[in-house]
Amino acid sequence: MTGRAVVVLQARMGSQRLPGKVMAALAGHPLVEYCLLRLLAADVGPVVLATTTQADDGVLVDLAIDMGVEAFGGPSHDVLARFAAVAERHREATYVIRATADNPFVDIDAPTRVLKALSAGADYAVEEGLPMGAAVEGIRRDVLLRAQRQATSPYDREHVTPWARQHADVVRAQPLAPADVRAADLRLTVDTPADLACVRLIAEGLAEAGIDPRLAPLRDVIALARRLSGGASA
């Protein structure tokens, strides 16, 4: 694998569907802490928490600083501009890994696999087959900065990567995730109160089994989610 990466976690307290979810407690720890610890454990480059300049997001900045993570505040809705600002600050990086703070069980190994796809020649990469909420996206830093210059629609700017996913001359890769973490029917993201209740049960079950839920291997998360749902799709 060649090149260097910066890992950017987008987070804000002002979620429209479930405000404050990123600081919701899972087995005694805030959800965003799970995200940061798992991305740090991936060990592919510096991790940056990209939040906003809103006063209520100060708690996220404080948490990041306490964890030794760089924090950056940018626009609330122009998330692409937030990512571009981080990319400008990390000129040493060839690639940017994007993660979101509604995914407490992001696969720790996913950033390494995505970087392999990028180093093989892709401009943008995301894996297929992982549970919803376990994947990360990867994009070349120069392509991200090009998107910042050229993307104009509010949707493209709020969601960061649609411009790259749709632009004709961007080389995209979508490798299949490893078999032991392939569970596309499972939902591990947090958008609703029901989602939050689900991931809380998983975190509590892992903790009761003596596994730190913040760093649990994704295959263990999947196995427990299957048991909790009676083996049915979630």
Side-chain angles (χ1 to χ4, degrees):
M1 185 169 59
T2 60
R4 300 180 66 185
V6 58
V7 182
V8 185
L9 177 71
Q10 66 183 73
R12 66 187 181 108
M13 293 291 287
S15 165
Q16 292 183 345
R17 286 178 292 233
L18 193 59
K21 65 182 179 182
V22 296
M23 286 297 291
L26 310 182
H29 299 275
L31 191 157
V32 68
E33 182 179 311
Y34 282 63
C35 303
L36 288 170
L37 282 177
R38 295 176 79 85
L39 295 170
L40 288 165
D43 195 26
V44 298
V47 177
V48 180
L49 181 104
T51 187
T52 83
T53 55
Q54 297 295 313
D56 58 352
D57 287 326
V59 66
L60 302 179
V61 173
D62 291 343
L63 176 64
I65 291 171
D66 287 345
M67 294 178 65
V69 172
E70 178 186 345
F72 173 80
S76 294
H77 299 291
D78 190 348
V79 189
L80 176 56
R82 265 191 255 165
F83 273 73
V86 173
E88 289 285 10
R89 292 157 68 105
H90 285 266
R91 296 178 181 272
E92 79 286 355
T94 304
Y95 308 111
V96 177
I97 297 293
R98 175 183 180 238
T100 62
D102 45 10
N103 297 333
F105 297 118
V106 63
D107 187 2
I108 292 171
D109 297 322
T112 295
R113 297 192 302 262
V114 165
L115 285 172
K116 286 181 180 178
L118 292 170
S119 65
D123 298 317
Y124 168 85
V126 65
E127 290 181 298
E128 283 188 341
L130 288 170
M132 182 180 293
V136 298
E137 296 176 287
I139 187 169
R140 287 187 60 89
R141 176 179 175 275
D142 56 343
V143 174
L144 177 70
L145 294 177
R146 187 176 160 208
Q148 162 68 4
R149 295 190 299 270
Q150 297 185 17
T152 57
S153 80
Y155 182 85
D156 287 353
R157 302 203 65 85
E158 181 178 355
H159 297 281
V160 183
T161 60
W163 183 94
R165 286 188 269 121
Q166 297 167 10
H167 209 270
D169 65 354
V170 172
V171 178
R172 291 173 286 276
Q174 204 162 5
L176 192 61
D180 65 339
V181 290
R182 210 178 297 156
D185 60 299
L186 284 179
R187 181 178 176 86
L188 297 176
T189 194
V190 178
D191 280 328
T192 68
D195 292 338
L196 182 57
C198 179
V199 298
R200 277 178 165 155
L201 283 175
I202 294 170
E204 289 163 5
L206 290 165
E208 288 170 2
I211 301 170
D212 185 343
R214 298 169 300 171
L215 292 170
L218 181 58
R219 61 182 178 275
D220 291 347
V221 176
I222 291 170
L224 179 55
R226 295 282 192 217
R227 290 198 295 273
L228 291 172
S229 63
S233 298

